[in-house]
Amino acid sequence: MFIKAMFIKTVAMTLLAGIAGLAHSQDGKALYNTCAACHGQQAEGMPAMHAPALAGQSASYLARQLRHFKDGLRGTDSADTYGQQMRAMAAVLPDQAAVEAVSSYIAALPRTAPAATLSGNTDAGYKQYNMKCGACHGGKAEGNEAFNAPALAGVGDAYLLRQFAAFKAGQRGAEQADKYGRQMRMMVNTVTEQELIDLLSYLNTLK
């Protein structure tokens, strides 16, 4: 675990140096080239790097999360190792124009289907999703701009499982200024461990 953590830290430092070289760029693709080392060339996600799929995600959501990392609303908890790494990465984006450029580029990439790591009752998961998630995140988990809710389909169950745990532990959604994070933190506390496995298994069936 120590060697793996050191490897990830080394990669992160290399990526920071790469982004710093693009400090004044507003070219989304050029800015994303550095992100690709963790998130994949097509933003398809890389489980080995604990990096979620980002392709096709809402540009507004991506920009908001990058701002949250930059502003200290996310990734500040000492137990949130990967959030801390992302906070360091986001910090070197020089301005809002760069944030929006890279977010728009990622949003335009075709969504992928990350490999499933969980196996639960998809019928039960469908019911849980429709009772607790669908009203905000969309009938097919495609996201809903009107509610500022991101897409959940195609993100990957490993990442979503980790974020549920982060919300429950108060590592995410605890800041007063993080309005939507606080809403999600309340919602995840209504879901049991088995319900979550079933729910994520259902999301794995959505393309």
Side-chain angles (χ1 to χ4, degrees):
M1 288 296 292
F2 174 76
I3 294 175
K4 184 175 182 180
M6 288 300 295
F7 171 73
I8 292 174
K9 183 177 180 180
T10 300
V11 171
M13 293 300 293
T14 302
L15 298 181
L16 284 172
I19 289 182
L22 293 168
H24 299 291
S25 175
Q26 293 181 12
D27 181 339
K29 183 176 182 179
L31 288 166
Y32 181 75
N33 283 338
T34 304
C35 312
C38 287
H39 290 280
Q41 291 298 319
Q42 295 298 309
E44 70 276 19
M46 292 181 66
M49 299 299 291
H50 300 275
L54 302 175
Q57 185 60 270
S58 160
S60 63
Y61 175 76
L62 292 170
R64 185 166 69 250
Q65 295 311 304
L66 285 170
R67 288 196 302 271
H68 283 186
F69 281 120
K70 287 173 69 67
D71 296 341
L73 299 183
R74 188 175 172 189
T76 57
D77 192 288
S78 60
D80 186 7
T81 304
Y82 306 115
Q84 288 182 322
Q85 291 173 1
M86 264 306 303
R87 188 182 178 201
M89 298 297 290
V92 297
L93 290 170
D95 51 33
Q96 184 61 21
V99 168
E100 292 180 359
V102 72
S103 298
S104 295
Y105 174 75
I106 295 169
L109 294 172
R111 290 187 183 181
T112 57
T117 67
L118 297 172
S119 179
N121 185 325
T122 56
D123 289 336
Y126 169 79
K127 293 177 182 177
Q128 283 296 318
Y129 180 81
N130 282 290
M131 285 192 298
K132 299 178 180 178
C133 313
C136 287
H137 290 278
K140 295 295 183 181
E142 72 276 20
N144 188 332
E145 288 282 335
F147 290 101
N148 295 285
L152 300 178
V155 175
D157 59 19
Y159 174 76
L160 292 174
L161 183 66
R162 191 164 68 249
Q163 294 311 301
F164 264 76
F167 279 118
K168 284 199 171 188
Q171 296 168 11
R172 185 175 175 186
E175 298 290 340
Q176 186 66 26
D178 185 6
K179 175 183 176 182
Y180 305 115
R182 287 190 290 109
Q183 291 175 354
M184 267 305 301
R185 190 179 177 196
M186 288 189 291
M187 290 303 300
V188 300
N189 285 320
T190 70
V191 181
T192 69
E193 182 177 353
Q194 185 58 54
E195 287 171 347
L196 177 58
I197 292 173
D198 293 340
L199 195 160
L200 296 180
S201 298
Y202 166 68
L203 291 178
N204 285 334
T205 70
L206 302 177
K207 306 300 181 184

